Amino acid sequence: MPVPNVRHSEVDVLIIGAGPAGLMCANALANARVNVRIIDKRAVKVATGQADGISPRTIEVFQSYGLGERLLRESCEVHLAAFYNPSSTGGIELTNRTRDVTAPTARYQFEVALHQGAIESIFLDSMKELGVEVERSTIPTSIELSTDENQLTDPSSHPVRVALQRLDLPEGESKEEIVHARFVLGADGAHSWVRKTFDISMDGEQSDFIWGVLDMVPETDFPDVRNKSLIHSNHGSCLVVPREADRVRIYMQLADEDVINPETGRVDKDRMGPEQLLKVAQKSLHPYKFIPTNGISWWTLYIIGQRVASNFSIKDRVFIAGDACHTHSPKAGQGMNASMNDAHNLAWKIALVLRGWADMSLLSTYESERRKYAQELIAFDKLYSTLFSGKPMTEQNRDGVSHEQFLKAFQMFGGFTSGIGVHYSPSVVVNDSNQELASGLVIGQRFPPQKFIRAADACPIEIQDLLPSDFRFKLLVFAGNFGDPAQQARVESMVKDLQRPECFLNRYATPGKSSTDSRFEVFTISQGRKDDIQFMQFPTLLRPHWSKVLIDDIDVTGSFGGNGYSRYGIGPQGALVVVRPDGYVGAIASLDKVEELDTYFAPFMKTSS
Amino acid sequence: MPVPNVRHSEVDVLIIGAGPAGLMCANALANARVNVRIIDKRAVKVATGQADGISPRTIEVFQSYGLGERLLRESCEVHLAAFYNPSSTGGIELTNRTRDVTAPTARYQFEVALHQGAIESIFLDSMKELGVEVERSTIPTSIELSTDENQLTDPSSHPVRVALQRLDLPEGESKEEIVHARFVLGADGAHSWVRKTFDISMDGEQSDFIWGVLDMVPETDFPDVRNKSLIHSNHGSCLVVPREADRVRIYMQLADEDVINPETGRVDKDRMGPEQLLKVAQKSLHPYKFIPTNGISWWTLYIIGQRVASNFSIKDRVFIAGDACHTHSPKAGQGMNASMNDAHNLAWKIALVLRGWADMSLLSTYESERRKYAQELIAFDKLYSTLFSGKPMTEQNRDGVSHEQFLKAFQMFGGFTSGIGVHYSPSVVVNDSNQELASGLVIGQRFPPQKFIRAADACPIEIQDLLPSDFRFKLLVFAGNFGDPAQQARVESMVKDLQRPECFLNRYATPGKSSTDSRFEVFTISQGRKDDIQFMQFPTLLRPHWSKVLIDDIDVTGSFGGNGYSRYGIGPQGALVVVRPDGYVGAIASLDKVEELDTYFAPFMKTSS
């Protein structure tokens, strides 16, 4: 028999694993017209179950890719959290209800729940329109990274060699392919093959807590079945989360002896099936009844370590993201959110390097930003898990967790669990000078939402919608009060500075390309009244299109908008704000010091060759 | 040559004409799963130009068919109206800006503009999903209505015989078809063949005003190019309306001598082409420049009568809608809105009769409701046209129209031009008793929007979204303060009344059908606080699903909702409100007098046979 010819191919980015992290990255790169392939060992996509909670920040991120509308249409919104504690009659009773989201600047003041299969479909449909589909039933069998330093530092080289094998081809057809990639992303889950192949260690410890999960449409008299309910009972803790299509998910804490096989020390699904799980849930939810109307649609058991990978990349050529680099408990609903936001952080950096716009050094900020976040997540998770799993404080158990203690933690961590508080430290793309010019725009945090009025047509505009994930840096010119002659002179002088050939806008211009290929987009946000402002008074550099000038005013109905300058902490002298392509505040400068923005871009931005 | 067999077929509804009125009706009937066909003589749909303004009420109607999201995404919002008048230096200058929409209860406080082709596509795509497509290149050649009274009064008969001819079939193929229809709608435009065939006269007079229209993407220094601008100049009046994709439409008044051929007395397009129109526009817009950047994308001239058809139906079997029954000037943007709302009014009535739910007598309310509206529209149009076309008042012309006069009319007619104020008189489906129980819900007007909080999950809900155009009557139970024992007793007693076999809910139940085929949908709107209310306390008839109970409370952020009872003028004793399938308030009763609703339904509702 002849040896089949093994096919060789080149690709800019190869993504291994089509879960939420891999799909978020593939879709983002497809949007950026990057040459990307994504493989997955599964023959079909996840249909139901799995992770399902989407935090307020992740909804913003979906919105930034144009996927927010569909996410909100298909999912179930969670506005209230209800707290139940032991009652005097042996069951549980409602203690109180609070807002589920405690993050005043969140654009969406709720979480949403949707099963993982539906979330993946949102990405799959979006990618398909851009010509990218998951190659299924495909596994990597080997991966090698070149050790040639010249090759590693040359962004045009293909230093990663991955052997792929198709699992579903008929006998006789070539099942092997050698892919030469510029970059590889291992988004291949908690048992990541990429991570193990490169010997990246997971730092941290095994959790003490074992959890069971059940999905069903219940017949119930539980009053908070459509709210997120956090239940401390004398028969264990549980968490009830509403889902789309009348479904409910119940997370419940299990005792070791119920699920661990004493011989292997591992979780043994034979010891605890859906019927037993349902009994555990029903016991802690007593006196309320929870009867599945249509069976248990999904269930699982897990004991999970709270661990973070020691590295998130190998020489900025091979990356890992999602569960491959951090594992933790599911109770605060952070798993899928952290994974997708890893990919959101990485995608634009890879795209800018591939376009020749940014230096390779930009890529190192992926690990520095996301690993720090993962460590904070683990620390939070340990504390929260301990409080959540702790016995409730009762007359008999004075050492238990009090409701007040738990509620305080729930609210204190609101910034964290909502994803809104995620804060990237100073780096090559986060310059924390001049924070005082815009105290409400925290450098390193995502740009907060606010409604402004478009000067040309008085249309109310959510400013986050002007900051899509389109791989461009946004320059927001807060022009102050243009009606004041002194301020007008400052703005005009600033425009002259922006027109200098050595200014970043010109230095890093992409010659001959259309405006959609530009690296920068400029918006002007002025103080003033929509009834008076003539938007054509602004210098043309500040209004390349009529839609680019906003006013900090209320809308025609007087019901929203206004006070943007004050919320952002910007004075009448204005400020220049650079927003990164992922929506995070990168740098702030005063109108008189445009050159400070040149200094921001210089270390990582490349001139067009 | 053998005589080809002429094909005979039956259909429930045949619609002639696939403009906005015909498509609105076809889509609505397709939603109702009615057996419907729609034909049009044009081989392809309208691509651009034509009517384009969508009023706030029409946006609500689109939303009620699930088409609002797409309409809003594709169109251009108009929030401000700018008024220009002669300046002292011979050109025009801005006098002031006001809100474009003056209708405090409108859900959308703006108009939108989108070219007719895009609006038609919204319907065409929606219908296609439901299996209905326009049969193009097809004309009716004859139409006959049976004179047999038995046949005419039997809803299952097919008394309308229409001969159709295909214009695009190859030689030799049968081009003729005889359609036997239960109902026919003539939505075939201002020169309606259906109307003429049945000798329906148009009452009214020819307009004195001749208008020209231009569409373009201008290079301009006109500050209000993205607002609706109403311009009175000494060189004629014009109206500038922003459009999608940077386009602008200019309507301008023309002088008779410029466009009328003195020999024929008719508009002569050879006398005034796009270049001449542009010059007219530029003259009245002086000193602002308007230069087409990409040519004139569409233009037309018209002189139009302000006329209403003497009848809108022949024996409630053949109907006419849209331009076929009313023609008027385009300046207040009412044409397409009136047309689509004719169809919206008619579709549910036909559907209910075809389902056997309603008596044929319901159909007569189409003419009574829509003809009265058309007459009001013409009266409004005459007044508005006179003001709009009148010479501006200046030093030299003291008899001209003053800005104050015009502005006052613009705002006074806001309820009318927005479509919000449309008011149907008492009839078999509008019972104006008990208005005092809910003074803010005007019987005969559309049910006004308001945000309530869903009791089960604290999700803010726009109540109009619970009133889709799904061919069901909605019973809104304003339960008052259920926490008050006396009120609770009243509610429980009302529920007993609703459970009587002779109550409309039971009398007109559709046996054996699923809940989506039910004729009624019940919602409960309670006073109370989301933090306290247990929605399961309500009797099960008032909460057939957890999503059906709302509370008149603010949302978790405290930024909207609340005061619904007070806006609707409902006291703590509550009220029962019946909303028609088209979203109009049909009847109101007190909780103690459920039988008054039986009285409302009895004259037109049929029991299941």
Side-chain angles (χ1 to χ4, degrees), chain A residues 69 73 77 79-80 97 99 109 222-223 226-227 246 457 459-460 530 533-534 536 545-546 556-557, chain B residues 69 73 77 79 97 99 109 222-223 226-227 246 457 459-460 530 533-534 536 545-546 556-557:
Chain A
E69 243 179 45
R73 190 168 54 238
E77 298 178 8
H79 292 261
L80 280 186
R97 295 173 183 156
R99 292 172 60 169
Q109 290 284 336
F222 182 62
R226 300 308 303 172
N227 294 319
D246 292 354
D457 64 357
C459 190
K530 62 184 173 300
I533 278 203
Q534 310 283 9
M536 290 186 188
H545 186 259
W546 59 261
V556 294
T557 69
Chain B
E69 242 179 45
R73 190 168 53 237
E77 298 177 8
H79 293 262
R97 295 173 182 156
R99 292 171 61 169
Q109 290 283 336
F222 182 61
R226 301 309 302 173
N227 293 320
D246 291 353
D457 63 358
C459 190
K530 62 184 174 301
I533 278 203
Q534 311 282 7
M536 289 185 188
H545 185 259
W546 60 261
V556 294
T557 69

Side-chain angles (χ1 to χ4, degrees), chain B residues 173-483:
Chain B
E173 284 190 41
S174 170
K175 297 180 176 186
E176 273 237 319
E177 177 185 356
I178 306 297
V179 178
H180 301 270
R182 294 190 187 185
F183 300 101
V184 168
L185 174 63
D188 48 351
H191 304 288
S192 172
W193 172 88
V194 174
R195 185 187 73 221
K196 289 175 186 164
T197 307
F198 283 101
D199 262 337
I200 299 174
S201 64
M202 289 295 276
D203 304 338
E205 58 214 53
Q206 189 75 351
S207 163
D208 290 334
F209 305 114
I210 305 165
W211 288 78
V213 187
L214 275 185
D215 283 358
M216 63 167 155
V217 177
E219 186 195 328
T220 183
D221 55 359
F222 182 61
D224 286 280
V225 65
R226 301 309 302 173
N227 293 320
K228 181 197 272 188
S229 299
L230 299 99
I231 291 140
H232 278 107
S233 88
N234 289 323
H235 309 285
S237 299
C238 75
L239 173 64
V240 179
V241 185
R243 294 271 304 274
E244 74 285 352
D246 291 353
R247 284 200 199 100
V248 163
R249 168 165 289 185
I250 306 176
Y251 292 93
M252 69 211 84
Q253 199 188 349
L254 301 173
D256 284 16
E257 60 270 24
D258 292 338
V259 278
I260 301 287
N261 182 328
E263 286 170 31
T264 63
R266 304 180 77 155
V267 170
D268 179 356
K269 279 203 171 185
D270 288 338
R271 301 172 77 87
M272 170 84 52
E275 292 75 20
Q276 292 96 319
L277 277 178
L278 181 60
K279 286 206 183 93
V280 172
Q282 286 169 334
K283 209 167 152 194
S284 50
L285 288 160
H286 177 78
Y288 299 105
K289 68 174 182 186
F290 265 80
I291 302 164
T293 56
N294 200 16
I296 302 294
S297 51
W298 189 76
W299 70 280
T300 194
L301 297 179
Y302 53 82
I303 174 167
I304 219 159
Q306 290 160 321
R307 296 185 295 178
V308 180
S310 53
N311 295 98
F312 281 23
S313 104
I314 316 290
K315 296 191 183 294
D316 291 333
R317 287 295 193 164
V318 177
F319 302 90
I320 53 176
D323 290 352
C325 36
H326 38 72
T327 60
H328 41 83
S329 81
K331 288 166 298 300
Q334 293 307 301
M336 185 164 57
N337 291 289
S339 297
M340 293 194 290
N341 282 292
D342 285 346
H344 176 58
N345 183 286
L346 178 61
W348 69 273
K349 296 171 183 173
I350 290 182
L352 263 56
V353 168
L354 286 171
R355 286 181 182 183
W357 293 0
D359 189 79
M360 290 277 287
S361 63
L362 177 62
L363 296 170
S364 69
T365 61
Y366 168 63
E367 179 174 299
S368 62
E369 293 185 337
R370 294 306 295 176
R371 189 160 182 274
K372 174 167 169 283
Y373 165 74
Q375 287 172 318
E376 290 166 0
L377 174 59
I378 298 303
F380 156 75
D381 188 47
K382 280 186 188 166
L383 185 53
Y384 192 69
S385 289
T386 306
L387 285 171
F388 195 81
S389 301
K391 289 266 177 208
M393 183 164 78
T394 57
E395 294 282 325
Q396 290 73 40
N397 179 16
R398 292 267 165 207
D399 295 334
V401 180
S402 77
H403 173 62
E404 290 65 32
Q405 223 178 335
F406 186 59
L407 181 62
K408 203 173 150 195
F410 182 82
Q411 292 179 329
M412 194 172 77
F413 292 123
F416 198 83
T417 53
S418 66
I420 300 301
V422 172
H423 189 148
Y424 297 140
S425 300
S427 73
V428 71
V429 278
V430 176
N431 180 336
D432 67 350
S433 318
N434 305 316
Q435 180 67 76
E436 70 285 359
L437 294 176
S439 55
L441 299 174
V442 182
I443 298 167
Q445 291 195 9
R446 73 89 172 82
F447 194 92
Q450 166 73 21
K451 285 216 167 73
F452 291 95
I453 304 305
R454 198 156 59 191
D457 63 358
C459 190
I461 299 288
E462 167 50 58
I463 195 165
Q464 279 198 345
D465 287 336
L466 299 183
L467 308 172
S469 294
D470 63 357
F471 305 92
R472 290 190 281 181
F473 283 85
K474 315 297 184 302
L475 174 64
L476 303 185
V477 178
F478 288 88
N481 179 3
F482 197 71

Side-chain angles (χ1 to χ4, degrees), chain A residues 89-107:
Chain A
T89 56
I92 54 167
E93 65 184 3
L94 176 64
T95 308
N96 71 333
R97 295 173 183 156
T98 71
R99 292 172 60 169
D100 182 48
V101 168
T102 313
T105 76
R107 175 171 180 183

